[in-house]
Amino acid sequence: MFDSASTMNAHPAKVRRIHGGTDTHGKPLFDFSTNSNALGPCPPAMRMIRNADCSGYPDPEYQALRESLGRWHGVAPQRILIAASASEFIYRMSIAFAMRTTQNRKQVDQQDHSKTVWIPPHSYGDYALAARAAGLGFSDEFSAAGLIWTCEPGSPLGQNQAGLTQMLNALPATSQLVLDCAYQPLRLSSQASVSAEHLARCWQMFTPNKALGLTGIRGAYVVAPLDADEWQQTLEQLAPSWVLGVHAVAMLSSWSSAPVQEWLSNSLSSLRDWKRRQIAICQDLGWQVIPSHANFFCAMPTELLQENRRDFLHDLRNRGIKLRHAESFGLPACFRLGVLNPQAQDALQRAVQEFSPRFF
């Protein structure tokens, strides 16, 4: 039986840059390897993007965008930071943390807790890659780290972050906790594990392009915690000029609009139905499905497919089907599958059934 608590990922220093989606063979016909909303792209968001005026620069301060996002989250616009993408902010935050901890100490001990990062056991690889690039160490205990990365629902498992409330309650004044909210808009079950009061203590990072089915457009934003003015100043100084182009501004500006949110709400209903159907197909194939609250889940295939994984993935890719092997997340026996439409699910089921007899 799968035990996510006892299965740890590889040492962060060994993490490679591995992503799903388009590859050297082009865009897959049936792409289970990403977590983008399968009902996208969102039509009202696309209309705003198509109407974007590309003849000039966007406002370098992004004031109107900050104000609209601030209203959406019920915070002052000064607490909104604009980022080129979640990955860009992950690197920027890691560099800012390394700089500030160095500046605050006359002699920097590389083993000091103030120079260490904690990341979840199974998580997005850029957390570790950014820490390594910034010269930071890794801590096995969040309480001993100065920079803490969390995600809810997290990838690849789609589960709530274990102990998040306890982390925030015990957060030292000198530590920074970032909550990656990429999949919160794509939550299909359960509720967030922390209150609004707790959220005010951490950095909340949002990437609406996933929920809108528009991952080809890069753009993100962050809600800063209360009383983080000095940190915000450092992060703003590290950002390039015009961190977003006009298409990303249009996408993020559309995010809080009623038509976009209505479309998103309706899409979640369809995704719930599709997810139930996709889980049933996987179980019928003999795969063990791990519970998830998001529009994706991990599944452990049969031993036959695990033993012939490379040939299996190659065969599927030739058929236009792409799965995400979860080894880079520390789950070498699993695949992570984004929820797709019934046509894609049926194609996957046929491919697995046709592949398996070759090795009996």
Side-chain angles (χ1 to χ4, degrees):
M1 190 70 177
F2 178 84
D3 182 0
S4 62
S6 63
T7 306
M8 300 297 288
N9 65 347
H11 190 279
K14 297 180 181 179
V15 173
R16 295 183 294 148
R17 198 181 301 276
I18 298 174
H19 301 293
T22 302
D23 52 30
T24 56
H25 301 288
K27 184 179 179 180
L29 178 62
F30 300 121
D31 191 1
F32 292 89
S33 70
T34 78
N35 298 336
S36 181
N37 188 333
L39 281 93
C42 171
M46 282 298 300
R47 283 194 291 271
M48 290 189 66
I49 292 166
R50 292 192 181 102
N51 291 332
D53 181 3
C54 299
S55 65
Y57 292 108
D59 169 20
E61 300 298 327
Y62 301 103
Q63 188 59 34
L65 178 59
R66 291 176 193 265
E67 290 176 358
S68 67
L69 292 173
R71 286 192 298 271
W72 175 245
H73 288 280
V75 303
Q78 291 77 15
R79 285 178 60 191
I80 303 295
L81 281 78
I82 305 300
S85 67
S87 292
E88 185 272 323
F89 182 78
I90 291 167
Y91 274 79
R92 201 193 323 170
M93 185 67 173
S94 301
I95 293 169
F97 174 70
M99 289 174 51
R100 288 180 62 88
T101 52
T102 299
Q103 292 168 355
N104 291 340
R105 297 181 63 86
K106 293 181 180 179
Q107 293 182 341
V108 178
D109 180 354
Q110 293 297 327
Q111 299 302 314
D112 191 272
H113 292 158
S114 67
K115 294 281 288 184
T116 59
V117 175
W118 183 88
I119 62 175
H122 312 293
S123 56
Y124 183 40
D126 276 17
Y127 303 150
L129 288 167
R132 186 174 62 179
L136 301 172
F138 298 93
S139 173
D140 292 332
E141 299 292 335
F142 78 86
S143 58
L147 178 59
I148 300 165
W149 291 101
T150 61
C151 186
E152 186 175 294
S155 178
L157 292 172
Q159 299 171 357
N160 282 351
Q161 178 69 60
L164 181 55
T165 298
Q166 291 79 359
M167 290 182 191
L168 288 167
N169 284 335
L171 189 67
T174 55
S175 296
Q176 304 298 317
L177 187 149
V178 183
L179 176 59
D180 188 340
C181 303
Y183 305 111
Q184 183 60 31
L186 288 165
R187 178 184 288 275
L188 303 182
S189 61
S190 189
Q191 301 292 326
S193 67
V194 293
S195 65
E197 179 184 355
H198 284 105
L199 291 176
R201 305 178 191 175
C202 67
W203 302 83
Q204 302 168 67
M205 182 172 65
F206 292 89
T207 49
N209 59 352
K210 294 180 178 65
L212 299 177
L214 287 166
T215 51
I217 296 182
R218 313 304 293 161
Y221 67 94
V222 179
V223 180
L226 291 170
D227 303 319
D229 294 349
E230 291 186 6
W231 269 92
Q232 286 184 248
Q233 184 177 7
T234 299
L235 289 163
E236 295 283 9
Q237 290 173 344
L238 286 172
S241 298
W242 294 290
V243 66
L244 296 182
V246 295
H247 291 110
V249 172
M251 178 187 69
L252 293 181
S253 298
S254 77
W255 177 235
S256 60
S257 70
V260 166
Q261 288 299 314
E262 182 180 4
W263 175 88
L264 176 59
S265 178
N266 292 335
S267 76
L268 297 184
S269 178
S270 296
L271 287 172
R272 290 186 186 95
D273 292 338
W274 291 358
K275 183 178 180 180
R276 285 190 287 267
R277 187 179 190 275
Q278 188 165 309
I279 287 174
I281 287 175
C282 289
Q283 292 173 333
D284 185 60
L285 292 170
W287 296 16
Q288 180 184 336
V289 175
I290 302 164
S292 161
H293 299 307
N295 67 318
F296 56 87
F297 58 87
C298 282
M300 185 185 300
T302 61
E303 290 186 11
L304 171 68
L305 292 185
Q306 291 185 48
E307 293 169 1
N308 298 278
R309 184 185 74 243
R310 293 184 184 278
D311 289 336
F312 173 62
L313 292 174
H314 181 73
D315 184 82
L316 260 62
R317 190 65 186 88
N318 286 337
R319 296 168 179 252
I321 302 170
K322 185 172 182 180
L323 303 185
R324 176 71 187 272
H325 183 225
E327 182 175 16
S328 64
F329 295 113
L331 301 170
C334 296
F335 297 129
R336 189 196 69 189
L337 295 91
V339 172
L340 296 187
N341 61 42
Q343 179 187 7
Q345 296 171 12
D346 292 343
L348 174 63
Q349 184 177 32
R350 287 193 300 271
V352 174
Q353 291 171 337
E354 292 171 7
F355 178 87
S356 298
R358 303 180 194 178
F359 295 91
F360 282 114

